[in-house]
Amino acid sequence: GAPLRLPLRTGSGPVLLLLLLLLVSVGSAIHDAVSGTNGTNVDPHHQSNSSGTKKPFPVLSFNYDHVRMPFEISLWILLALLMKLGFHIIPRVSHVVPESCLLIVVGLLVGGFIKAIGEEAPILDSKLFFLYLLPPIILDAGYFLPIRAFTENMGTILVFAVVGTLWNSFFIGGMMYGVCQIESAQLGAVDLLSCLHFGCIISAVDPVAVLAVFEEIHIHELLYILVFGESLLNDAVTVVLYHLFEEFSHAGTVTVGDAFLGVICFFVVSLGGIMVGAIYGLLGAFTSRFTSHTRVIEPLFVFLYSYMAYLSAEVFHLSGIMSLIACGVMMRPYVEANISHKSYTTIKYFLKMWSSVSETLIFIFLGVSTVAGPHAWNWTFVIFTVIICLVSRVLGVIGLTYVINKFRIVKLTKKDQFIVAYGGLRGAIAFSLGFLLTNSQVKHMFLTAIITVIFFTVFVQGMTIRPLVELLAVKRKKESKRSINEEIHTQFLDHLLTGIEGICGHYGHHHWKDKLNRFNKTYVKRWLIAGDRSTEPQLISFYNKLEMKQAIMLVESGSGAKLPTTVSAISMQNVQPKEAPRQRVIPTISKSREQEIRKILRANLQNTRQRLRSYSRHDLMIDPFEDNMSEIRFRRQKVEMQRRMSHYLTVPANRQETPPVRKVCFEPEHQVYNYDAIAIESPRGRDSRPTPSSPNDVSLLNESPQKPNQSSTTRAAGDVELRVKTEDEQEEQDQLKLSRCLSDPGPNQEGEGGSSFRS
Amino acid sequence: MGALQSAPGQPEYTDLAEKTGFSFEQIAVLHKRFKQLSHNEETLRRDHFEKIPDLACNPIRAQIIGAFFDKRNYRQNGEGSVEEIGFEEFLVVMSHFRPPSMHFTEEQREGIRREKLRFLFNMHDTDNDGTITLEEYRHVVEELLSRSGALGKETAKSIADAAMLEVASISMGHMEPDEFYEGITFEHFLKLLDGFEIESKMNIRFLNMDTATMFKSKPMDGNEFSSAYIKFSIPSIQQVSPKVNAPFRE
């Protein structure tokens, strides 16, 4: 970002690094000092009491123990965030290397540094990881999961997640056992069960790593949801297999009954996790129905219910990740209908913030733990692990795709398969699971291998996936925003396909989806959504949301830049059918009057802008995931002028005026013509008439509704005779009313208007 | 065309298969369904469609039924509507919902896209004049929102107007204040739904249909559902080893 540019760019990265190392060393030094002088803090006090000698009152005392824990935690988080900041200031590096790699490198450096000064480096504690670092990331992903894509590809995702992970585990485990049998490797101590255990730990695709890498390459939604969905849903398989093998390794023997129980366990774990999540989600939705008077705590309900869902699932050894996802998915449609817009923004931002911090911390700790942990390096084992992981992934994807394609309408191409296989990254979950193994020499070897695989996937695959995506010309994410036309047609298509299925007598996909929707509408929504919104159809909510977004963008981009100028608008008058054939006014008069109107509007606009800036700045936040400032500014101007133009220059008498606001959907390209001193809109903006009954609308300019007034006598510049249409009169009425509303005398309006009218 | 024998043999189907691209099994299954719907008559009329219970709660029912009787969908460049249709027309309309095969070239996919979008366009353009006017578009949105009562009427208008403006902006760039945008032509419609990927979305799985068990005039109960589901989910042999070469076999 341009606004964030610091004076020195190239030197700041290393400077920050040094600064952080300094901070860390300070922390450690303090730690040393404390442990050295622990007793002495208390002693002087006692001594002074017992001996009677008067010591001067300690103006400045030192008590580090008191705040040690939060201090160190904050220091680490600060380190993580400063690093993140640093990377984005050095643009060249961040284009080539994904953030996760850089963070691991930083972790390595910090770990090395800590070890160098003789301290004991902290290790990524499994409890810390699973209870505190992982849930925000999963919740963020689950809450904003693209539901449509997810459910449409659910079958594929499930096959990859379940069957794929099973295949990976057993293949890797089996092959590694075979490798261990090789005499020269001296790995005879490793038995089959341990190998299988190892296999199941290393086989799961990691959601954190996938998110970290895929977010930067912006591929097609289908591929993203396939890999990401797989990484989420394979948690159940991983959990079951892990505990299964753990039990077996304690028990020593495996029977068929045990295997059968394992299968049952899988269903219990996954379905149970989903159920727990769904229950909490419904509770959360229900609670949000009553929060209309205490808006401030609304976001907390979302976070807490989700976290409780995760913890409750973990209590029973169910799949916490699936529970969290289910909770978020279940809760979201109802909660969003109930909460205020500010709460929605808060939720979005907090989730992004927490997940960002978590992710950063995880990668840094991975780096630190690598340096810290006891390692047992065995060339054969490690190399073979890496190779076999890759091979197994590729084989798994190809084999499964072959089967899946028989059932899919949109088949997966070779390119898709390659990306899915290549995107199977391993991450911190594998490391933490490995860390939970019981201590033994074998464990250290396993951990080393796991770390190597993680590093390999994150560094090699993570770094090369972007150029490969470009090389293979894989389809990228659609850049355009969702427009109202697409929404209309999506719904239309849904109904159409359901209808056709009904005609064919074929109860397929769409039929059941339609049934679910109807059930949702009739029963569930009534319980979970407060007030009128429960009966609001989806198209209308979509439309309202869109308008709200545009309204906010309009307000937010309020800092004045030079208004660009364009030619005429496409407004309602272009689209609205006319009742009677228009009488063309003499073009010269029309144009000049337009000029006047535009001048006046510009003046008013500037006043309005000032007003807006003072009123709304503290309420709303700019969405950093939207476009950058300059584009927002331009759009705002477009929007504003378009709105005004269409508001004034249009339309037959029966139009209803309601508090005006918004635009819908912009295209990024625009054409700017130097026509006038005043900005009108650009080709692609368009007007929309607001809905009369939308409680969440932001009414920016509280203009009073203006009635079209047909009488010509009330015109201010009454001394001119014109052949005018009703619309021209209305224009003037409106612009006068507007100026009155804004308490702006409208500089020389009448004088200018009068003089130009005469021409 | 015309009367089909009650037990059509392969020669009849070959003709249809070539025309529509369905496989023989699919045609047989659809033929069974046709006969069920028409109560073994030769032609279907609108009231036959209206009797289908599953369609009853569909907001755009009238337009779907209308599409079957619309001559523009028969790929013969006809216009206007008919009162009854035979099996061939039924099949031709259904063939708009076939997914594109994986082996299609980019051109063929583009052709399929145009065809599907043309179908949608015809559904919107009820007066056959080649453009979707504001009134027609408003009607579309009103139908979509028709289940929401009074709340829908006004909002439907606003939504339709907004959508229309968007189309105008995308297609025309900019216009003078006194120009009038007549309506959405087919080319504009194509441009509008350019990113929509309709060839992946507008598809029905014809593969595993077995109407003998699937068709019910009342909702299925548990037994039927499970048996139908099993039949439905086993990959059918229909798609393997064609008996006769059909050009666009899936």
Side-chain angles (χ1 to χ4, degrees):
Chain A
L4 298 177
R5 188 166 295 151
L6 296 186
L8 34 106
R9 280 217 286 150
T10 46
S12 52
V15 166
L16 277 171
L17 193 56
L18 280 174
L19 177 65
L20 286 153
L21 293 178
L22 206 60
L23 279 171
V24 170
S25 59
V26 164
S28 319
I30 290 175
H31 181 57
D32 256 346
V34 166
S35 49
T37 61
N38 219 346
T40 57
N41 276 343
V42 188
D43 282 350
H45 191 65
H46 279 309
Q47 275 178 3
S48 67
N49 275 348
S50 56
S51 66
T53 43
K54 184 137 182 353
K55 287 199 73 142
F57 184 77
V59 175
L60 194 62
S61 45
F62 184 84
N63 188 355
Y64 180 62
D65 235 3
H66 191 53
V67 296
R68 192 174 139 228
M69 179 73 126
F71 192 86
E72 289 187 351
I73 293 177
S74 305
L75 207 58
W76 276 107
I77 300 183
L78 199 57
L79 169 97
L81 297 176
L82 284 172
M83 284 282 84
K84 213 172 156 76
L85 191 66
F87 295 145
H88 289 286
I89 297 179
I90 318 173
R92 271 175 296 124
V93 182
S94 59
H95 278 316
V96 174
V97 186
E99 208 173 270
S100 40
C101 302
L102 293 171
L103 289 169
I104 292 185
V105 169
V106 167
L108 287 174
L109 287 173
V110 171
F113 183 76
I114 292 182
K115 222 172 182 180
I117 62 178
E119 281 297 317
E120 193 185 308
I123 301 195
L124 183 60
D125 183 23
S126 291
K127 184 164 151 213
L128 173 73
F129 175 74
F130 279 115
L131 290 184
Y132 299 110
L133 291 179
L134 190 60
I137 302 180
I138 303 296
L139 181 59
D140 179 40
Y143 195 77
F144 294 108
L145 201 63
I147 295 293
R148 216 184 162 84
F150 191 69
T151 47
E152 276 172 16
N153 294 296
M154 180 70 96
T156 314
I157 294 177
L158 276 176
V159 168
F160 274 128
V162 177
V163 181
T165 312
L166 280 173
W167 155 260
N168 273 346
S169 312
F170 285 106
F171 185 75
I172 295 177
M175 293 300 277
M176 289 318 293
Y177 183 61
V179 166
C180 291
Q181 300 302 81
I182 300 177
E183 292 299 326
S184 58
Q186 293 156 352
L187 291 167
V190 187
D191 60 332
L192 181 62
L193 218 47
S194 302
C195 278
L196 285 175
H197 205 174
F198 174 71
C200 98
I201 293 176
I202 197 90
S203 66
V205 178
D206 185 80
V208 180
V210 165
L211 267 178
V213 169
F214 272 52
E215 238 170 11
E216 298 182 2
I217 60 178
H218 297 305
I219 49 169
H220 195 40
E221 195 180 49
L222 171 68
L223 291 175
Y224 169 77
I225 200 70
L226 281 181
V227 182
F228 184 62
E230 176 195 346
S231 69
L232 289 176
L233 294 186
N234 68 16
D235 181 58
V237 181
T238 313
V239 164
V240 170
L241 280 181
Y242 185 84
H243 286 132
L244 212 63
F245 287 130
E246 203 173 25
E247 289 298 318
F248 290 168
S249 61
H250 290 321
T253 55
V254 184
T255 66
V256 177
D258 289 331
F260 184 64
L261 281 178
V263 173
I264 304 233
C265 183
F266 166 70
F267 283 107
V268 168
V269 160
S270 48
L271 294 175
I274 294 179
M275 218 172 59
V276 168
I279 292 176
Y280 274 101
L282 287 174
L283 275 178
F286 190 63
T287 313
S288 73
R289 188 180 160 182
F290 302 106
T291 55
S292 48
H293 299 292
T294 45
R295 294 281 186 197
V296 187
I297 54 175
E298 272 172 345
L300 276 175
F301 281 119
V302 172
F303 301 143
L304 287 173
Y305 275 112
S306 312
Y307 195 46
M308 292 287 286
Y310 180 77
L311 294 175
S312 311
E314 286 291 323
V315 166
F316 297 104
H317 273 184
L318 304 174
S319 166
I321 290 184
M322 291 181 85
S323 159
L324 205 47
I325 302 283
C327 183
V329 164
M330 200 60 158
M331 197 172 16
R332 187 179 175 199
Y334 310 108
V335 160
E336 285 197 351
N338 283 332
I339 59 178
S340 71
H341 187 80
K342 293 180 214 166
S343 299
Y344 170 72
T345 313
T346 310
I347 291 178
K348 187 163 146 185
Y349 274 95
F350 262 86
L351 283 179
K352 297 267 176 238
M353 185 181 78
W354 272 328
S355 69
S356 190
V357 171
S358 275
E359 193 180 294
T360 316
L361 276 175
I362 287 176
F363 283 115
I364 289 190
F365 269 119
L366 256 182
V368 173
S369 312
T370 309
V371 175
H375 291 299
W377 183 270
N378 184 313
W379 278 102
T380 329
F381 192 79
V382 170
I383 303 265
F384 269 99
T385 307
V386 174
I387 295 178
I388 291 177
C389 275
L390 280 176
V391 168
S392 124
R393 175 85 182 154
V394 170
L395 285 178
V397 168
I398 293 183
L400 286 175
T401 314
Y402 178 72
V403 174
I404 288 173
N405 269 344
K406 292 203 196 308
F407 294 91
R408 282 182 68 90
I409 293 185
V410 180
K411 320 273 183 202
L412 296 176
T413 64
K414 289 265 184 298
K415 268 192 229 169
D416 297 338
Q417 291 175 39
F418 176 74
I419 296 291
V420 171
Y422 208 66
L425 306 172
R426 315 305 202 265
I429 290 186
F431 179 80
S432 308
L433 282 177
F435 205 73
L436 285 174
L437 288 172
T438 48
N439 260 320
S440 65
Q441 185 59 18
V442 169
K443 169 182 170 182
H444 296 315
M445 188 173 67
F446 283 171
L447 264 184
T448 314
I450 292 174
I451 289 184
T452 315
V453 173
I454 294 177
F455 271 41
F456 181 82
T457 56
V458 171
F459 278 91
V460 176
Q461 287 178 232
M463 271 201 271
T464 53
I465 201 168
R466 195 200 301 244
L468 276 173
V469 159
E470 280 170 24
L471 191 70
L472 292 176
V474 176
K475 247 187 337 184
R476 308 299 277 260
K477 187 152 78 169
K478 243 179 9 181
E479 284 308 330
S480 58
K481 294 195 175 62
R482 200 83 183 282
S483 76
I484 189 91
N485 270 297
E486 288 194 358
E487 180 68 20
I488 291 177
H489 280 99
T490 310
Q491 299 233 346
F492 190 82
L493 210 54
D494 274 345
H495 289 299
L496 174 64
L497 291 172
T498 313
I500 298 284
E501 279 189 0
I503 293 178
C504 291
H506 159 118
Y507 289 138
H509 208 65
H510 291 95
H511 178 90
W512 297 116
K513 201 157 79 163
D514 189 56
K515 270 219 155 81
L516 186 66
N517 279 339
R518 267 186 281 132
F519 172 73
N520 189 17
K521 201 157 93 164
T522 356
Y523 299 109
V524 185
K525 275 193 180 168
R526 212 160 275 165
W527 276 102
L528 297 180
I529 299 184
D532 286 340
R533 305 283 307 264
S534 57
T535 51
E536 195 178 61
Q538 194 194 340
L539 189 57
I540 295 184
S541 354
F542 176 82
Y543 178 65
N544 289 340
K545 258 194 222 157
L546 213 50
E547 295 210 309
M548 173 86 77
K549 265 195 220 155
Q550 308 312 320
I552 288 174
M553 245 169 45
L554 172 61
V555 173
E556 273 313 299
S557 52
S559 53
K562 192 163 175 306
L563 304 176
T565 64
T566 55
V567 193
S568 56
I570 293 188
S571 57
M572 275 318 297
Q573 76 182 93
N574 294 114
V575 167
Q576 200 88 3
K578 310 288 180 295
E579 280 96 36
R582 296 186 51 148
Q583 286 198 352
R584 294 194 117 231
V585 188
I586 300 171
T588 51
I589 294 182
S590 155
K591 278 227 165 66
S592 66
R593 193 177 316 123
E594 278 181 17
Q595 285 188 25
E596 294 314 312
I597 293 167
R598 284 169 183 155
K599 282 211 192 90
I600 291 156
L601 288 177
R602 177 183 64 167
N604 289 338
L605 173 61
Q606 284 167 341
N607 293 327
T608 310
R609 247 202 341 254
Q610 288 160 13
R611 229 182 60 148
L612 284 178
R613 219 184 295 145
S614 62
Y615 284 165
S616 3
R617 178 63 68 187
H618 67 287
D619 281 339
L620 303 160
M621 299 178 257
I622 300 180
D623 186 351
F625 293 92
E626 305 268 13
D627 320 279
N628 60 31
M629 278 304 283
S630 55
E631 198 172 7
I632 291 178
R633 267 200 300 268
F634 181 70
R635 284 179 183 183
R636 191 267 317 159
Q637 289 134 15
K638 253 180 357 194
V639 158
E640 182 65 357
M641 290 318 298
Q642 153 90 86
R643 192 190 54 72
R644 287 177 192 270
M645 285 305 292
S646 53
H647 192 71
Y648 301 129
L649 294 180
T650 59
V651 172
N654 58 2
R655 185 170 85 122
Q656 282 178 351
E657 310 277 351
T658 49
V661 167
R662 322 150 253 229
K663 286 299 102 191
V664 201
C665 186
F666 298 99
E667 304 285 322
E669 321 154 59
H670 49 262
Q671 290 164 29
V672 176
Y673 300 88
N674 278 317
Y675 172 69
D676 222 1
I678 302 187
I680 320 293
E681 55 109 33
S682 91
R684 308 248 174 168
R686 66 204 198 283
D687 190 14
S688 69
R689 272 194 269 134
T691 63
S693 60
S694 322
N696 283 346
D697 285 348
V698 172
S699 201
L700 295 177
L701 310 169
N702 293 318
E703 301 175 354
S704 52
Q706 305 174 30
K707 300 280 176 289
N709 193 331
Q710 306 305 321
S711 124
S712 58
T713 53
T714 53
R715 256 186 306 137
D719 60 343
V720 178
E721 183 169 75
L722 290 166
R723 281 174 285 136
V724 291
K725 311 174 295 298
T726 48
E727 296 171 23
D728 294 335
E729 290 165 348
Q730 186 181 321
E731 287 163 18
E732 298 185 40
Q733 286 311 307
D734 294 348
Q735 87 204 23
L736 288 174
K737 279 221 173 112
L738 175 65
S739 59
R740 275 194 283 275
C741 285
L742 296 180
S743 351
D744 168 32
N748 299 326
Q749 176 181 342
E750 285 144 56
E752 276 178 352
S755 58
S756 68
F757 290 160
R758 256 187 283 267
S759 63
Chain B
M1 235 18 208
L4 282 166
Q5 303 152 8
S6 51
Q10 306 233 89
E12 315 283 334
Y13 280 4
T14 321
D15 193 31
L16 290 170
E18 262 174 57
K19 214 178 209 167
T20 59
F22 282 121
S23 69
F24 289 163
E25 293 82 3
Q26 288 167 334
I27 297 181
V29 150
L30 282 170
H31 197 210
K32 252 190 258 165
R33 177 64 176 168
F34 181 84
K35 283 192 286 197
Q36 269 165 347
L37 283 178
S38 67
H39 306 296
N40 281 318
E41 292 173 30
E42 292 300 335
T43 57
L44 276 178
R45 290 185 305 278
R46 286 175 201 260
D47 49 302
H48 287 131
F49 280 102
E50 275 159 23
K51 285 201 206 113
I52 303 176
D54 293 320
L55 274 189
C57 35
N58 198 314
I60 55 169
R61 180 170 87 140
Q63 280 136 321
I64 298 178
I65 297 178
F68 276 90
F69 294 91
D70 188 341
K71 273 164 94 173
R72 288 174 299 174
N73 291 331
Y74 297 158
R75 300 211 188 114
Q76 290 163 351
N77 297 325
E79 284 218 351
S81 63
V82 294
E83 285 311 313
E84 343 179 276
I85 56 170
F87 180 57
E88 182 172 333
E89 285 90 21
F90 181 74
L91 211 56
V92 170
V93 172
M94 282 298 188
S95 71
H96 284 95
F97 293 92
R98 284 187 63 245
S101 154
M102 217 167 108
H103 312 291
F104 277 2
T105 64
E106 198 49 45
E107 270 174 32
Q108 285 168 318
R109 288 186 87 92
E110 184 61 32
I112 299 261
R113 269 195 74 233
R114 281 187 81 98
E115 202 179 280
K116 295 190 196 263
L117 284 174
R118 184 86 223 177
F119 187 83
L120 279 186
F121 187 81
N122 291 341
M123 281 184 84
H124 295 326
D125 181 20
T126 44
D127 60 359
N128 285 2
D129 64 353
T131 55
I132 305 177
T133 62
L134 184 62
E135 279 310 316
E136 286 168 345
Y137 211 31
R138 271 191 191 149
H139 184 68
V140 170
V141 179
E142 270 167 21
E143 288 293 304
L144 274 182
L145 293 177
S146 58
R147 305 270 150 181
S148 50
L151 176 65
K153 283 290 178 210
E154 265 312 306
T155 330
K157 272 176 98 186
S158 329
I159 295 178
D161 293 343
M164 201 67 176
L165 265 171
E166 184 193 349
V167 181
S169 309
I170 294 178
S171 328
M172 304 289 284
H174 72 275
M175 294 169 69
E176 295 298 318
D178 39 17
E179 272 184 78
F180 177 57
Y181 181 65
E182 292 294 335
I184 313 178
T185 64
F186 185 55
E187 291 308 318
H188 294 169
F189 194 67
L190 281 180
K191 208 167 159 190
L192 179 71
L193 291 181
D194 196 28
F196 199 54
E197 286 188 14
I198 194 151
E199 69 270 18
S200 338
K201 294 194 184 169
M202 188 165 140
N203 298 313
I204 301 270
R205 292 169 195 266
F206 286 112
L207 285 179
N208 301 326
M209 261 181 359
D210 184 355
T211 54
T213 13
M214 294 296 262
F215 169 61
K216 278 281 169 264
S217 52
K218 59 184 190 323
M220 291 195 291
D221 62 39
N223 298 340
E224 292 161 328
F225 176 65
S226 47
S227 62
Y229 189 73
I230 291 170
K231 274 204 180 129
F232 170 58
S233 53
I234 294 172
S236 95
I237 54 172
Q238 297 168 358
Q239 49 191 323
V240 182
S241 62
K243 301 177 188 83
V244 178
N245 280 335
F248 297 112
R249 178 69 60 86
E250 267 174 303

